[in-house]
Amino acid sequence: MSDRCDHDQEIDLEEQQILAAIEAALPAMPTDRHQLIPLLQHIQGTHGYLPLGGIALVARHLKMAASKVYGVATFYNQFRFNPPGRHPLKVCLGTACHVKGGEIILENFSRRLGIAEGETTKDREYSLERVACVGCCALAPVVMVGEKTESYVTPSKVEGIITEIEIQNEIAERAKEKHEPESDTQ
């Protein structure tokens, strides 16, 4: 439980740092309202997403209503409002993947992770997206796990993909602990 609270506080601190960075960067940005989309693209390019608090900061900078900035940002599907997970999962739903069960694969990831498409798990470990086509139609259905392409994905393979990531995380955590100096011994 304590670890969970520490993790939540860490995430809140991370978002506060992002908002502080946005606030610090805005004075150097143009104040012309026509620069709204490039400004939002810059923030997302820098931080990976548009935090809702960042939209209010942009609105104040451009002297616009926050609802108008939010309306523009939500109109374009290029903008995301949730931080990307450390392991972004992109389920291809192009024609070949759709025909070979891509929707079922997306649903399996959604159920396994407890998030809908476009969302990120609370621990920011995974984010789930649907993509139009990744260009690997001969390998359908395809899922991109970060930069890695998983081919011929089946519903039973979904669990294996998540388990593989969890095992890699545990191995990395053990290696990190092994190399950290022991501060409790002194």
Side-chain angles (χ1 to χ4, degrees):
M1 184 70 176
S2 176
D3 288 342
R4 185 81 195 147
C5 290
D6 291 344
H7 195 266
D8 289 347
Q9 289 174 347
E10 184 178 305
I11 289 172
D12 290 342
L13 179 62
E14 185 180 325
E15 187 156 324
Q16 288 174 3
Q17 290 171 341
I18 289 172
L19 292 176
I22 292 170
E23 193 165 20
L26 282 174
M29 303 290 182
T31 56
D32 182 1
R33 291 176 175 210
H34 295 100
Q35 295 297 313
L36 173 58
I37 292 175
L39 187 57
L40 295 175
Q41 289 171 328
H42 175 77
I43 291 170
Q44 181 164 290
T46 303
H47 303 289
Y49 74 109
L50 298 175
L52 290 179
I55 287 177
L57 293 172
V58 168
R60 188 171 23 152
H61 178 71
L62 298 179
K63 297 180 176 53
M64 298 175 66
S67 61
K68 287 193 176 189
V69 174
Y70 184 75
V72 169
T74 55
F75 178 78
Y76 297 100
N77 65 6
Q78 67 176 297
F79 296 115
R80 57 177 300 132
F81 304 97
N82 297 309
R86 285 178 275 283
H87 302 283
L89 303 166
K90 297 178 181 175
V91 180
C92 181
L93 290 173
T95 304
C97 290
H98 177 76
V99 168
K100 294 206 171 187
E103 286 282 352
I104 295 169
I105 302 304
L106 180 64
E107 178 65 25
N108 273 268
F109 275 113
S110 179
R111 287 177 187 231
R112 171 60 173 82
L113 299 172
I115 57 173
E117 66 175 272
E119 293 182 347
T120 303
T121 55
K122 286 186 179 188
D123 61 2
R124 294 191 183 171
E125 198 64 36
Y126 303 97
S127 54
L128 183 61
E129 290 180 53
R130 114 186 359 233
V131 293
C133 184
V134 296
C136 301
C137 299
L139 307 174
V142 171
V143 174
M144 297 296 296
V145 182
E147 298 298 318
K148 181 180 176 188
T149 304
E150 295 284 348
S151 58
Y152 308 113
V153 178
T154 61
S156 61
K157 197 172 177 181
V158 167
E159 184 64 35
I161 291 169
I162 300 297
T163 301
E164 182 182 343
I165 293 170
E166 290 172 349
I167 289 170
Q168 289 172 351
N169 285 347
E170 286 178 22
I171 290 170
E173 190 66 32
R174 280 191 220 134
K176 183 179 168 187
E177 289 173 6
K178 189 175 181 180
H179 289 73
E180 284 181 357
E182 293 185 32
S183 60
D184 295 340
T185 56
Q186 296 180 358

